Amino acid sequence: MTAPSPSPQQNLQTLSEEYQKLQTDLQTQITSRQRLESQQQENLAVRKEFNTLSTESTIYKLIGPVLLKQEKAEAESAVDGRLEFIEKEIKRVEKLISNMQEQSEGKKMEIYQLQMKTQEAK
């Protein structure tokens, strides 16, 4: 004995909920990308500032409530490492966003086609 197939209205409701979830997830990823881009800009500004310093300049790193002296090469290396990580994360998030946009468009088309079928059946 098979279960009765869901009505077009139930299918439409399910598709709409899936579409809404995709949109929410997409917005979360866009916010994540914006945060990463902001961090990237901050680190680029720090790198630019390092370029204006002489090799004898004193650099301090804030660790908790304490400022610790740090070598310029070590500080530059840390900033470069962060920038490299951020760039990889931005690429990963952009790929996710692209995939989610494609899925979202697919759901939108499914919803549209189901609505058209439902109207034609009336």
Side-chain angles (χ1 to χ4, degrees):
M1 183 174 211
T2 61
S5 63
S7 72
Q9 193 62 33
Q10 289 170 323
N11 283 340
L12 190 57
Q13 179 67 31
T14 302
L15 286 172
S16 293
E17 289 168 1
E18 290 170 2
Y19 178 75
Q20 284 291 56
K21 182 175 181 342
L22 275 171
Q23 289 299 303
T24 301
D25 293 346
L26 181 61
Q27 190 58 46
T28 300
Q29 293 305 321
I30 290 171
T31 301
S32 178
R33 181 183 63 195
Q34 290 170 338
R35 183 178 35 79
L36 286 166
E37 287 171 346
S38 174
Q39 290 173 352
Q40 184 181 41
Q41 290 305 314
E42 290 171 10
N43 281 279
L44 287 171
V46 170
R47 182 196 278 168
K48 186 176 179 182
E49 189 71 28
F50 282 164
N51 291 336
T52 65
L53 300 176
S54 69
T55 54
E56 299 86 34
S57 295
T58 305
I59 297 174
Y60 293 94
K61 181 178 183 176
L62 183 64
I63 299 179
V66 180
L67 281 174
L68 296 177
K69 198 171 185 176
Q70 189 176 31
E71 296 293 322
K72 183 178 179 194
E74 185 181 338
E76 286 175 330
S77 175
V79 168
D80 289 342
R82 279 196 301 272
L83 280 167
E84 189 177 311
F85 173 78
I86 290 168
E87 287 168 12
K88 287 179 183 176
E89 280 299 295
I90 288 173
K91 286 179 184 174
R92 184 186 67 79
V93 169
E94 284 178 345
K95 193 173 183 179
L96 268 173
I97 288 171
S98 177
N99 290 340
M100 287 179 160
Q101 286 173 330
E102 287 175 19
Q103 290 175 354
S104 181
E105 282 302 310
K107 285 290 177 206
K108 194 190 299 187
M109 286 307 298
E110 281 184 65
I111 290 170
Y112 177 74
Q113 289 170 352
L114 186 58
Q115 286 175 332
M116 294 306 285
K117 276 186 192 176
T118 303
Q119 286 180 359
E120 288 173 6
K122 288 183 180 180

